[in-house]
Amino acid sequence: MTWKVEAEKWLNQEDLEVALKQQLMIEENNKELMEDSFYKNLSFGTAGLRGELGFGTNRMNIYTVRKAAQGLAAYIASCGEDAKKRGVAIAYDSRHYSPEFGLEVAKVLGHNAIRSFLFDELQPTPLLSFAVRELNTFAGVVITASHNPAEYNGLKVYGEDGGQVTLEAATAITTHTENIEDLFSVKVAEEAYLLEAGLLTYLADEMSERYIRRLDGILVDGKLAKSLSIVYSPLHGAGGKLVCRGLREAGFSNVIIVAKQGIPDPDFTTVKSPNPEESKSFELALVYGHKTAADLLIATDPDADRMGVAVRDLKGQYVFLTGNQIGALLVNALLEDKSNRHALPEDGMVIKTIVTSELGKAIANKYGVKIMDVLTGFKYISEKVLEFEKTTESTFLFGYEESYGYLIGDFVRDKDAVQASVLIAEVAERYKKKGQTLLEGLYELYEEHGYYQEALESITLKGQIGMTKMERIINYFRSDSFAREFPQPLASVEDYAVGHSTSVETGEQCSLNLPIADVLKFKLTDATWFALRPSGTEPKIKFYFGVKGETKVESDELLLKLKEAVMTVVEKIISNS
């Protein structure tokens, strides 16, 4: 079916939602927008949907949400009556239509006789993961586009363990969803009926209270009063209540919230992008920091699964830490604490992703702790936590990824910015008692283990043309021509699409023992590496870089040289496409 035929179908839909109908009529002569809105169906990625809001099959709206919810309902029904009775926990953040989409999911599930437990106000993603486990629901759904700009929203699906759905479950949900030929045919039940029939239950504060009680287990130095001064911003999202409560319960009384950003706002009025990975999102927090001489600035993204920090140095300036640097500080503090208390289990395991810094591995090795690499995406960390739980072969200690995601206590099974905010504050307090800052602590780790540095470049390539360009980039890097022509010597190529690593010199292959994924990672002979990965939910391709030098100057030079070599190749492909 061509995009024009599908667009005409929407235009002729008599009971089309009013706001969508108005937008569609205004833009029906905008060929570029119409084509992009209808040329494909919004795809169900590794754990759900994500896309721009608006009309069309390639946008987030009540119809694409209902279709995904019906796919989930069909999957749950295929798993038996017990799965339907256990039901689904549903949360949402501060984005446009998030509450409405959350209710739409419940209404579709209710029509299929599946129970829903819907939070009565916006809540962080980690609380949804926690609720799935506490309520023993069969699945969970959170309406969020995480750290994406205001024009985006999304729908993420969770399994009964509280982690994002497995690849097998996602594939089954996708199949059920794709079997729905007419997305306008999906039926919903009325809210009043669902409440009366016991198919919809609203969740209030009790779940937050249960979660807060579990935070005790991640504290390094207990609940003693602490002197650290903190400025915190929820970036207009859902983290405000739980993060502030968590810090207060941990003994941090000197916490100032960025007032304007403490207000939930779907337009994220005070920031260009509500992403704590970007220093610009800290502009208001910096004003507060300089005014109060705060030791630490913390920001969480709209659904509070990612956390970023800036630390005040000895000159009174604020330095932003990368996700890799934060992860190194957290894992070092956790392992040091357990080692000092003789509480490190012999089977302890730290988990990181294949594009996360190798500094974590060096730290784990120091303490005699094993570290495991998994594919990019926190769902793979959560799956390993579940595997350890079932097999008791390892004890989970810490999981993290370079994109500012961390998990300490396994009572949640996704990255958790609430836990991370409390722990990074604890670590900063520990250094402060020694007369140091987090930055000085980080440089101690570099001096001990080597100067690891990492970088990320993202290229957005929208529309059908953009997809074609991304395919050309991936295909060229996967070709023999790239290995021959690249100006720096390559040691091995890890192709996760075929599941093996190949020595460039000998051609010898070995299995990667990880799930299949469209990811390439190149290791160089000087312990330098880079990787590329197209996003499963956005029109982006990401390039990751990692180096290690004996000094900061050396690692700076290595990183710059590597990035220039790789991105020159990429730019050439794009310009010739």
Side-chain angles (χ1 to χ4, degrees):
M1 186 177 293
T2 68
W3 70 265
K4 290 183 180 179
V5 173
E6 189 64 27
E8 193 67 26
K9 181 179 178 181
W10 278 61
L11 282 164
N12 292 332
Q13 189 71 24
E14 290 184 4
D15 58 350
L16 191 70
E17 196 267 331
V18 175
L20 291 177
K21 183 79 168 182
Q22 291 174 343
Q23 294 170 19
L24 185 56
M25 292 177 69
I26 291 170
E27 300 290 355
E28 64 176 309
N29 293 320
N30 184 340
K31 182 179 181 298
E32 184 178 351
L33 176 61
M34 293 290 286
E35 181 175 2
D36 192 54
S37 299
F38 289 102
Y39 86 94
K40 68 171 185 174
N41 292 324
L42 193 63
S43 59
F44 195 96
T46 54
L49 303 176
R50 186 181 298 176
E52 293 183 52
L53 291 157
F55 58 79
T57 58
N58 190 32
R59 293 290 188 269
M60 286 292 297
N61 51 63
I62 63 168
Y63 302 108
T64 52
V65 167
R66 285 175 179 176
K67 182 178 177 181
Q70 183 59 45
L72 173 62
Y75 167 69
I76 293 172
S78 73
C79 295
E81 285 300 313
D82 182 61
K84 294 171 68 174
K85 290 178 182 177
R86 289 168 61 189
V88 180
I90 305 171
Y92 56 88
D93 67 7
S94 60
R95 289 179 177 274
H96 286 292
Y97 301 107
S98 283
E100 291 86 351
F101 290 167
L103 182 57
E104 288 297 323
V105 172
K107 288 161 71 174
V108 171
L109 294 173
H111 180 78
N112 288 270
I114 298 169
R115 295 181 69 191
S116 290
F117 300 86
L118 177 63
F119 280 97
D120 64 357
E121 63 176 341
L122 75 167
Q123 294 290 0
T125 288
L127 189 62
L128 180 279
S129 174
F130 178 77
V132 168
R133 297 177 60 78
E134 285 290 293
L135 297 171
N136 191 34
T137 62
F138 185 76
V141 168
V142 61
I143 306 298
T144 180
S146 190
H147 56 292
N148 287 92
E151 61 267 27
Y152 283 81
N153 210 331
L155 180 156
K156 287 200 296 187
V157 182
Y158 288 74
E160 60 186 330
D161 66 318
Q164 293 177 37
V165 284
T166 63
L167 180 61
E168 293 76 16
T171 300
I173 295 168
T174 299
T175 300
H176 287 297
T177 303
E178 290 176 348
N179 286 338
I180 302 169
E181 295 183 2
D182 180 9
L183 80 174
F184 296 114
S185 67
V186 178
K187 292 181 171 55
V188 297
E190 291 300 317
E191 179 184 11
Y193 162 76
L194 296 177
L195 289 168
E196 185 179 348
L199 290 169
L200 174 60
T201 301
Y202 278 103
L203 300 175
D205 293 336
E206 171 60 22
M207 199 56 60
S208 299
E209 293 296 325
R210 293 191 206 178
Y211 173 93
I212 288 294
R213 289 196 290 269
R214 297 296 299 275
L215 283 180
D216 287 357
I218 72 164
L219 298 180
V220 173
D221 294 321
K223 288 187 171 186
L224 300 175
K226 299 174 173 72
S227 64
L228 194 77
S229 56
I230 301 169
V231 168
Y232 167 60
S233 172
L235 296 178
H236 299 293
K241 286 186 177 180
L242 270 187
V243 171
C244 289
R245 176 78 184 279
L247 290 170
R248 186 168 65 251
E249 293 289 328
F252 295 98
S253 58
N254 191 0
V255 179
I256 301 171
I257 192 166
V258 179
K260 289 183 179 179
Q261 295 177 340
I263 303 169
D265 175 6
D267 291 316
F268 309 113
T269 308
T270 65
V271 289
K272 184 177 180 180
S273 174
N275 187 354
E277 300 177 52
E278 299 175 6
S279 59
K280 288 184 178 179
S281 67
F282 279 79
E283 286 180 352
L284 278 182
L286 283 168
V287 173
Y288 277 67
H290 286 299
K291 188 175 181 179
T292 62
D295 299 307
L296 187 68
L297 313 182
I298 299 175
T300 55
D301 68 344
D303 68 322
D305 63 352
R306 283 178 168 85
M307 178 212 69
V309 302
V311 57
R312 189 170 184 264
D313 66 15
L314 297 178
K315 297 179 180 179
Q317 299 302 309
Y318 287 96
V319 179
F320 298 95
L321 301 186
T322 69
N324 284 310
Q325 292 170 334
I326 296 167
L329 286 162
L330 294 180
V331 72
N332 182 71
L334 285 167
L335 298 184
E336 181 182 57
D337 178 65
K338 289 183 180 294
S339 178
N340 290 341
R341 293 188 290 107
H342 306 289
L344 266 178
E346 292 184 3
D347 62 350
M349 182 73 75
V350 173
I351 311 172
K352 71 178 189 66
T353 70
I354 58 174
V355 295
T356 298
S357 173
E358 295 300 304
L359 177 55
K361 184 177 291 186
I363 293 168
N365 288 340
K366 171 189 174 180
Y367 291 99
V369 170
K370 294 179 181 179
I371 191 163
M372 171 184 290
D373 279 353
V374 296
L375 289 177
T376 306
F378 219 89
K379 64 180 295 180
Y380 298 107
I381 294 175
S382 301
E383 286 176 3
K384 283 298 176 183
V385 178
L386 178 61
E387 182 182 312
F388 297 163
E389 190 175 65
K390 289 181 175 180
T391 64
T392 66
E393 66 180 35
S394 297
T395 299
F396 171 73
L397 298 176
F398 182 65
Y400 73 114
E401 59 184 3
E402 52 77 36
S403 56
Y404 295 69
Y406 319 96
L407 179 64
I408 302 101
D410 65 359
F411 53 90
V412 169
R413 294 298 169 87
D414 201 353
K415 50 187 174 286
D416 187 342
V418 183
Q419 291 189 33
S421 296
V422 172
L423 185 58
I424 196 64
E426 288 259 317
V427 178
E429 174 74 15
R430 174 178 288 187
Y431 281 114
K432 185 175 182 179
K433 286 179 178 175
K434 296 192 295 183
Q436 295 179 299
T437 67
L438 278 177
L439 196 61
E440 291 173 286
L442 177 65
Y443 273 87
E444 283 184 351
L445 294 178
Y446 285 148
E447 287 293 328
E448 182 176 3
H449 301 290
Y451 280 77
Y452 291 83
Q453 279 205 77
E454 297 76 32
L456 170 66
E457 294 285 341
S458 294
I459 296 177
T460 300
L461 298 165
K462 290 188 176 183
Q464 202 162 8
I465 294 174
M467 293 294 291
T468 301
K469 289 182 178 181
M470 278 200 285
E471 288 175 6
R472 287 177 180 171
I473 291 169
I474 289 284
N475 290 339
Y476 178 73
F477 275 86
R478 192 167 268 132
S479 70
D480 292 336
S481 298
F482 170 73
R484 289 195 305 268
E485 297 168 6
F486 191 63
Q488 296 188 35
L490 299 173
S492 63
V493 181
E494 296 177 354
D495 189 341
Y496 292 85
V498 294
H500 61 241
S501 174
T502 304
S503 167
V504 173
E505 182 178 354
T506 67
E508 183 180 353
Q509 294 184 344
C510 62
S511 175
L512 292 168
N513 296 317
L514 288 174
I516 297 301
D518 193 10
V519 182
L520 286 167
K521 184 174 183 179
F522 298 84
K523 293 185 176 180
L524 283 69
T525 54
D526 57 357
T528 298
W529 61 269
F530 69 93
L532 56 156
R533 179 180 73 92
S535 172
T537 55
E538 304 170 73
K540 282 185 179 181
I541 183 167
K542 296 183 178 181
F543 299 85
Y544 304 84
F545 307 90
V547 301
K548 176 191 175 186
E550 294 300 316
T551 65
K552 185 178 186 303
V553 172
E554 183 183 350
S555 65
D556 284 342
E557 291 174 351
L558 288 169
L559 187 60
L560 179 62
K561 185 179 178 182
L562 179 63
K563 285 175 62 178
E564 286 181 344
V566 173
M567 299 315 293
T568 297
V569 174
V570 176
E571 289 163 10
K572 186 176 180 180
I573 296 171
I574 291 174
S575 62
N576 291 337
S577 296

